[in-house]
Amino acid sequence: MRRGSSIPLDVEIYRQTPLWWRIWRRYRLVWRRRYMLFKALRKRRELRARRDRSNLIRPDDILCFVTLRNEADRLPYFLDHYRDLGVDHFLVVDNNSEDGSDRILLDAPDVSVWHTAHSYRDARFGMSWLTWLQMRYGAGHWCLTVDCDELLVYPYHPSRGLRALTGELDRRGQRSFRALMIELFPRGRLAEQCHTPGDHPADVLSYFDADGFTRYKHPEFHSLIEKGGVRARFFFDGVAEHAPPMHKTPLVKWRRLYAYADSTHTILPRWLNRNYGPDRITGALLHTKFLPSVVAKSVDPAHRAQHFANPAKFTGYYDILSANPDFWHENATRYEDWETLRQLGLISGDEWL
């Protein structure tokens, strides 16, 4: 069983709300999804194709959608990791990179690249751009939507690639796949570490917090919200309820009218969020945000302004990162491989073999 506490959902209170109010809330979600799709149609004008290889996409290909900016230190390993898992084609929005990320992408034969210099925050933190690409290219495909600092793992993934996983999900009639974010950090101060592009980030970021996860069900979106990790401990004084959510739905059998509502934490229609339970296969996203480069990025005012809806509220967050912190503590768990997470109950799916 996963270690940590649970925040119970008072389902009875929700059920006791008037029927008309519950219908209204469902109606609001329908219109919210329509708004997000409409915004994606508008935001498509901000994208300029630099290398469109979408004509190479075959009907059964597994696609990966990414928005990034200045990720040259992560990109080589990121692309290799997902190629090894079985991604057939990458559709990437480059948000005006200046560190050579665009050259890495343009030289890759399995990557289509769109460029934009417009605001990441105004595009729903990149999701409006990706929603347009998913509408245009993703329908009928298993689509993986991740950030460049997220590496997907799941039970037996070194020998059972995404093709085997999605085949099993298809057999079960499961159209979405859930993953818990595992925030990795080094032993020692962040900027004092050494990472070479192309190396596994976990060679540097070798530890994570395995305890203290809290979870509760969202009555409106039907998702299981999970919070915890090093950000809950270090930035929110150990109060996980105040920390950012750690659950995501990165892998979906896409249809044109689907849309992510809050990054990949929540998706609409909301029944796609019911992807948890003892009989479900679940995975993890190894979050590699805390590579040495994060310290310099956190000093950059432009970077700060683009990554939160209200950046002023998160000044303290960036101030802590700018101070080059050491997240390690004596109870930190060393990450070895997916077996580490399975033994702790953080991922599941032994029975799928």
Side-chain angles (χ1 to χ4, degrees), residues 59-61 137-143 175 253-256:
D60 63 342
D61 278 354
Y137 303 108
H141 294 270
W142 277 99
C143 295
R175 294 189 66 92
K253 186 68 171 289
W254 207 264
R255 290 180 179 171
R256 282 191 175 85

Side-chain angles (χ1 to χ4, degrees), residues 38-54:
F38 175 71
K39 187 167 184 177
L41 288 171
R42 290 178 53 207
K43 288 293 182 179
R44 77 187 190 278
R45 301 188 185 96
E46 297 179 354
L47 300 178
R48 178 176 62 86
R50 291 199 62 190
R51 191 66 55 84
D52 185 355
R53 299 185 176 96
S54 59

Side-chain angles (χ1 to χ4, degrees), residues 87-350:
V87 167
D88 297 295
H89 200 85
F90 298 83
L91 297 98
V92 181
V93 175
D94 173 28
N95 190 197
N96 211 30
S97 291
E98 301 168 338
D99 68 342
S101 295
D102 58 337
R103 181 48 51 193
I104 297 172
L105 297 169
L106 293 170
D107 289 345
D110 53 355
V111 178
S112 292
V113 187
W114 285 264
H115 175 268
T116 182
H118 287 78
S119 170
Y120 175 78
R121 185 176 64 178
D122 290 348
R124 291 202 305 119
F125 306 101
M127 293 313 302
S128 291
W129 299 324
L130 294 187
T131 299
W132 162 245
L133 296 180
Q134 288 158 343
M135 290 170 64
R136 185 170 183 183
Y137 303 108
H141 294 270
W142 277 99
C143 295
L144 185 68
T145 307
V146 289
D147 293 334
C148 209
D149 59 7
E150 295 173 344
L151 302 173
L152 179 67
V153 298
Y154 51 87
Y156 306 101
H157 71 87
S159 59
R160 304 279 286 178
L162 285 172
R163 186 85 44 195
L165 175 62
T166 56
E168 177 65 12
L169 296 175
D170 280 330
R171 187 187 69 80
R172 297 182 179 204
Q174 185 177 333
R175 294 189 66 92
S176 65
F177 179 80
R178 177 184 181 84
L180 177 69
M181 289 181 66
I182 301 296
E183 293 197 296
L184 302 178
F185 53 85
R187 181 168 186 170
R189 294 190 176 275
L190 303 185
E192 295 171 4
Q193 311 305 312
C194 181
H195 173 254
T196 302
D199 290 349
H200 195 326
D203 293 344
V204 175
L205 310 177
S206 304
Y207 294 90
F208 68 99
D209 284 357
D211 291 317
F213 283 96
T214 61
R215 49 186 176 167
Y216 60 97
K217 295 179 182 177
H218 195 290
E220 187 169 18
F221 288 105
H222 293 177
S223 56
L224 181 66
I225 298 174
E226 298 190 70
K227 298 185 177 184
V230 65
R231 276 191 287 184
R233 170 173 60 87
F234 208 90
F235 297 95
F236 294 90
D237 298 322
V239 183
E241 294 92 322
H242 298 163
M246 305 301 292
H247 64 284
K248 288 200 169 186
T249 299
L251 184 62
V252 178
K253 186 68 171 289
W254 207 264
R255 290 180 179 171
R256 282 191 175 85
L257 297 183
Y258 290 174
Y260 283 111
D262 176 19
S263 180
T264 56
H265 300 298
T266 307
I267 189 169
L268 295 173
R270 62 181 179 175
W271 61 267
L272 290 165
N273 297 311
R274 300 192 200 105
N275 48 18
Y276 51 88
D279 61 333
R280 302 283 190 171
I281 308 169
T282 65
L285 288 168
L286 304 181
H287 194 206
T288 67
K289 182 180 183 67
F290 299 125
L291 285 178
S293 58
V294 73
V295 176
K297 288 182 178 180
S298 298
V299 178
D300 181 6
H303 178 82
R304 291 187 179 207
Q306 289 296 312
H307 283 79
F308 292 102
N310 188 345
K313 289 185 177 181
F314 290 87
T315 299
Y317 173 85
Y318 283 118
D319 287 345
I320 290 174
L321 287 177
S322 301
N324 191 23
D326 180 358
F327 293 139
W328 191 84
H329 60 114
E330 61 181 10
N331 293 320
T333 301
R334 186 175 183 87
Y335 177 79
E336 300 292 345
D337 55 24
W338 65 270
E339 281 275 13
T340 307
L341 306 179
R342 183 190 62 82
Q343 291 169 5
L344 292 168
L346 298 173
I347 62 176
S348 61
D350 283 356

